[in-house]
Structures are given as C-alpha cells and as structure tokens.
Amino acid sequence: MTLIAEDLLLLLLDDHSGKPLADSTKLPRVLAGALVVELAMGGALRVTGPGEQVKKDHVLVAGDPPVDVLLRRVFDLVATASRPMKPQKVIEKSQKNLAKELAARLVEQGFVTEQHDKVWGLFPRTTWPARDIAHEKVLRDALRSALVDGTTPEPHSAALISLVSAIDLTHKVIEDADKKLLKQRAKQIAEGEWAGAAVRKAVSDVNAAVMAAVMVPIVVSTTSS
C-alpha cells in the first residue's frame, strides 16, 4: 500500500516533463500535511477540541507509532515535543527534503524515473517523468469519479481530493472538466463527513501553512523597503 503522500506526489508530477505542478512553497507543505492526515486517519495522532486540558487545535499522540519511516518521523516529532503543537507547526517542521524522499520512493516502486539536467545550462534540476502510469490511472479514475460523476469517495481518495483542493490544483490533476464545478465539489468533499474533526483540521492547516509561508517573503520585502 502506498502512502497518501506518495500518491499525492504522483498526482502532482507532470507525466511528461516530470516537473511538480505545485511550486516549491506549496509542494513540501502539502506533502507534510498528507503525512499528518494519514496519521490522524489511522488514529495515531489527534487534534484537541474544546474543553480539553490541552488547548484546542493542538496535535497529540493518540495511538501506537506507525511502522513507516516517514510517518514515524512525524509521530516522533509530536511525541517528543516539549509542548503540544498546532498542525501548521507540525507541517512546517516536517516538510524539509520531504518531496525528494517521497520521489525516491516513487522511483523505487517503478512509478517514475529520475532525470537530472540544468536550467539554461547553469542550474541543476531534478525531474521525475512517469514510467508506469497504471497505479496513477487508478488514482485519477477514483478522483474523477468523485469529482465529476459525483460518487462517494473512499477515505483515501477523499484525503487526496482535500489536499489537492487545499493548494487549489484540482483542475490540474483532473483536466478536461469545468474548473469551477471541480473546485466546488472538492470543497464539499473536504468539508464532508468522510473523516473526523482531527483529519479535517489537519487538511485545513495545510492551507494555513502554505499561506503563512507565502506571506513571509512578502512581509520581509515590505519591511525592508
């Protein structure tokens, strides 16, 4: 079984060019968010609600540690933290080098190949064109069924849709469909009852983490001038 984060990256890589559809700010954070979402879905982590000893909207350990190395790293981050963190902070602390690590796993599984070249002959670049699209086709067909045909998605597909929607790339993952309708349907699924409050909170904080990261250079630039 592939991780949600692995499947998400596969969907966010252009099959021909091997370039990510998401930029360098959004991509690592949505992938880190996918790890948090998977841990919440599996019951390993949870997000606190109102009336608890720990302030609401903070991540706590709720179950046994996962076997997968990448999931375990996020779990341990939460488990060993000196104080509970919000999902956004967990995402920020988990996103470094994550895209490359997940891409290496996709290469190992035979889904993509890794290619190296230079932009303008100067700047090194790594891309991951598709190699075997059978698994990716199954993913896209499931997402298209939910987003275009209106079927009820399985939790794994609903998580992928919610995460892609959080970075506003649904229309890039599912092409040849009405962008506005895709966006509306993806939002309905993200806010639906396919998962508990902890999972929905983790998904919403992906967007918050992305927006915060985008705003930092803007604020610095404004302050400097």
Side-chain angles (χ1 to χ4, degrees), residues 111-222:
F111 297 145
V112 300
T113 59
E114 184 171 287
Q115 295 183 356
H116 301 275
D117 63 2
K118 290 186 178 181
V119 180
W120 300 321
L122 296 173
F123 307 106
R125 175 178 64 184
T126 305
T127 55
W128 298 273
R131 179 180 178 186
D132 182 350
I133 64 169
H135 178 65
E136 182 185 348
K137 185 178 184 305
V138 171
L139 296 174
R140 288 189 192 276
D141 286 349
L143 266 59
R144 179 176 289 276
S145 178
L147 290 167
V148 179
D149 301 331
T151 61
T152 302
E154 295 293 326
H156 189 92
S157 295
L160 289 171
I161 290 168
S162 300
L163 290 159
V164 171
S165 176
I167 55 171
D168 196 24
L169 286 177
T170 313
H171 63 290
K172 293 288 188 180
V173 172
I174 303 298
E175 298 178 334
D176 303 321
D178 186 280
K179 181 178 178 179
K180 185 176 180 180
L181 292 178
L182 280 178
K183 193 170 184 177
Q184 290 174 347
R185 176 62 177 152
K187 185 178 179 182
Q188 288 174 356
I189 291 171
E191 295 174 351
E193 296 302 319
W194 61 273
V199 178
R200 291 197 298 274
K201 177 60 181 171
V203 169
S204 69
D205 271 49
V206 170
N207 185 266
V210 169
M211 291 304 296
V214 168
M215 288 303 296
V216 167
I218 296 175
V219 172
V220 171
S221 175
T222 304

Side-chain angles (χ1 to χ4, degrees), residues 17-135:
S17 69
K19 298 176 185 177
L21 301 175
D23 63 34
S24 58
T25 298
K26 294 179 179 179
L27 184 65
R29 288 166 179 81
V30 76
L31 294 175
L35 296 179
V36 176
V37 166
E38 184 144 350
L39 288 165
M41 288 173 66
L45 298 180
R46 70 179 184 88
V47 179
T48 56
E52 298 191 44
Q53 283 189 331
V54 175
K55 192 176 179 180
K56 74 172 184 174
D57 296 337
H58 285 69
V59 186
L60 298 178
V61 167
D64 296 328
V67 175
D68 184 90
V69 174
L70 295 182
L71 292 175
R72 179 61 184 264
R73 185 191 302 167
V74 178
F75 180 92
D76 288 345
L77 173 67
V78 174
T80 60
S82 58
R83 63 181 65 183
M85 295 179 285
K86 289 189 173 184
Q88 181 180 333
K89 190 169 184 179
V90 177
I91 288 167
E92 284 295 339
K93 286 181 171 290
S94 304
Q95 53 93 22
K96 188 176 180 181
N97 296 323
L98 183 56
K100 289 184 178 180
E101 290 180 280
L102 287 166
R105 291 165 69 136
L106 295 181
V107 172
E108 193 174 304
Q109 294 173 82
F111 297 145
V112 300
T113 59
E114 184 171 287
Q115 295 183 356
H116 301 275
D117 63 2
K118 290 186 178 181
V119 180
W120 300 321
L122 296 173
F123 307 106
R125 175 178 64 184
T126 305
T127 55
W128 298 273
R131 179 180 178 186
D132 182 350
I133 64 169
H135 178 65

